[in-house]
Amino acid sequence: MAPHYSIFLHTPEDQDTWAAHLRELRPGVALHTGGNAPLCDYALVWNPPVELLARQTKLRAVFALGAGVDSLLTVVDRLPPGVPIIRVEDAGMADQMVEYSLFAVLETLRRMREYRAAQASRQWAPAAPLARSSFSVGVLGLGTLGTPVARELARTGFPVWGWSRTPRDVPGVQCCSGTAGMREVLEHSNVVIVLVPLTDDTRGILNSTTLAMLPRRAVVVNLARGAVVDDQALLEHLDSGGISHAYLDVFSTEPLPQDHRFWTHRGVTVTPHIAAQTPVDAAARQIICKIERLEAGEEVTGVVNPHRGY
Ligand code: NDP
Ligand code: OXD
């Protein structure tokens, strides 16, 4: 039997794939796209034009087709008041974040960037090994994605420090919170992995002052949102050698502008916002499941608090 609720779908990428998965999961579902869509019960959106969303005045919930809701929250005042915003939780993204983080940490521990540079000039230059047990990693953000990253690094034998807004307890991880907690984590981070959402509180949180708290020659891995890190401050720390490398998957402007220094800086690895791509099949299943819980009057997880910003 076709479901009795209707869905408005908008995403700049993969819209046909999303539609195909939703139709496969719920054959006959009333699925609408574009400016002429009728008023629907649920919106499933990623970076929607404000006007498109504002026309949907009968929505019972808005689902973000990803984990981060910073851009959706910029249009929250155009939604009917009280409509919940619900985000994707993990759905396969945590494993990808773990892989990216392990890669950056292991490449650093095993000095692979140095050996690649040495190879380029045909230098045979063995360096002293670094011990995993004294190579600490910091994870800023201990949520759905940060916690598995911290846990896996700890399981692998790295001393791990984690930071969150409210106190958390992750076995094997030195957990800290608040402003003083951030300093403690940064001071212990040979590699710092950024997995906090972009909010009013986290914008520019890695700046000239906080980057200086890292040990000399530390590595920054930003997998969250570009604006969490102050670009100019990061470049200055890279140029001075205080920070030895930055793996950057996210940028204040995406795609990264052609003339940005990050493209050519030898201390920067640029990846095009692929650290964790939303697996459409699993995410569509998660969203349908949540819609049907809402239809049944049940609670769902992943509801965003617009005042908190995530
Ligand atoms: P969650 O909401 O599950 O976790 C967020 C974590 O950040 C929580 O531990 C939270 O603390 C902490 N946090 C929030 N604000 C602060 C603050 N002011 N000070 C300290 N800690 C804070 O988010 P996810 O783990 O699901 O996702 C994290 C981010 O990853 C997303 O918002 C998105 O921007 C990014 N992302 C990037 C992708 C990519 O491909 N590059 C893909 C997917 C997501 P507390 O535990 O106390 O609430
Ligand atoms: C997300 C993202 O937040 O893709 O899901 O960045």
Side-chain angles (χ1 to χ4, degrees):
M1 202 177 59
H4 53 273
Y5 51 80
S6 56
I7 293 178
F8 171 72
L9 173 69
H10 175 87
T11 168
E13 282 166 28
D14 300 332
Q15 184 149 296
D16 292 346
T17 313
W18 274 95
H21 279 286
L22 292 165
R23 289 199 172 101
E24 192 181 317
L25 285 164
R26 289 295 175 268
V29 65
L31 186 60
H32 303 280
T33 57
N36 295 325
L39 299 182
C40 294
D41 299 313
Y42 299 98
L44 275 53
V45 294
W46 192 249
N47 292 338
V50 178
E51 326 73 69
L52 269 192
L53 203 53
R55 287 166 55 101
Q56 289 291 333
T57 52
K58 289 272 159 50
L59 292 173
R60 300 220 282 271
V62 175
F63 286 85
L65 299 181
V69 289
D70 43 291
S71 76
L72 194 50
L73 287 180
T74 62
V75 300
V76 75
D77 55 345
R78 303 296 300 273
L79 292 172
V83 173
I85 294 179
I86 301 165
R87 67 191 195 92
V88 173
E89 299 169 283
D90 183 4
M93 287 189 277
D95 281 351
Q96 298 174 61
M97 285 301 187
V98 169
E99 288 160 4
Y100 194 119
S101 303
L102 277 177
F103 173 81
V105 169
L106 290 175
E107 183 164 81
T108 306
L109 179 80
R110 297 311 311 263
R111 301 180 186 268
M112 287 300 172
R113 295 184 307 276
E114 292 163 52
Y115 291 126
R116 268 200 300 278
Q119 181 181 351
S121 53
R122 298 172 188 244
Q123 280 180 65
W124 186 267
L130 299 170
R132 196 186 297 192
S133 57
S134 50
F135 191 82
S136 302
V137 182
V139 181
L140 304 184
L142 290 175
T144 310
L145 302 176
T147 296
V149 167
R151 206 186 281 131
E152 182 60 16
L153 285 162
R155 194 194 62 78
T156 315
F158 291 96
V160 180
W161 292 71
W163 187 63
S164 51
R165 192 177 57 86
T166 57
R168 298 273 155 197
D169 182 18
V170 182
V173 176
Q174 292 268 2
C175 294
C176 303
S177 57
T179 312
M182 186 190 189
R183 172 184 277 276
E184 201 169 0
V185 171
L186 292 180
E187 284 176 353
H188 286 92
S189 299
N190 293 111
V191 177
V192 62
I193 298 167
V194 185
L195 273 168
V196 285
L198 177 62
T199 67
D200 289 347
D201 292 337
T202 63
R203 185 176 297 277
I205 206 162
L206 281 183
N207 50 42
S208 213
T209 308
T210 51
L211 289 170
M213 295 172 185
L214 291 163
R216 210 179 139 62
R217 307 294 296 155
V219 166
V220 172
V221 184
N222 187 6
L223 309 181
R225 286 292 182 266
V228 173
V229 180
D230 175 338
D231 284 5
Q232 200 45 44
L234 179 61
L235 281 165
E236 280 163 21
H237 280 263
L238 284 162
D239 289 341
S240 71
I243 288 177
S244 64
H245 200 82
Y247 292 84
L248 304 177
D249 184 56
V250 284
F251 303 90
S252 293
T253 305
E254 295 184 4
L256 182 62
Q258 284 298 312
D259 59 354
H260 201 291
R261 276 192 71 205
F262 285 154
W263 280 118
T264 51
H265 199 293
R266 65 187 170 81
V268 177
T269 299
V270 169
T271 53
H273 202 139
I274 48 68
Q277 292 168 282
T278 314
V280 179
D281 51 351
R285 215 173 308 118
Q286 183 181 107
I287 291 171
I288 288 289
C289 181
K290 287 184 182 179
I291 288 179
E292 292 177 0
R293 285 183 67 91
L294 292 175
E295 289 287 303
E298 292 168 23
E299 296 208 335
V300 297
T301 57
V303 178
V304 172
N305 177 338
H307 304 294
R308 205 177 56 170
Y310 69 103

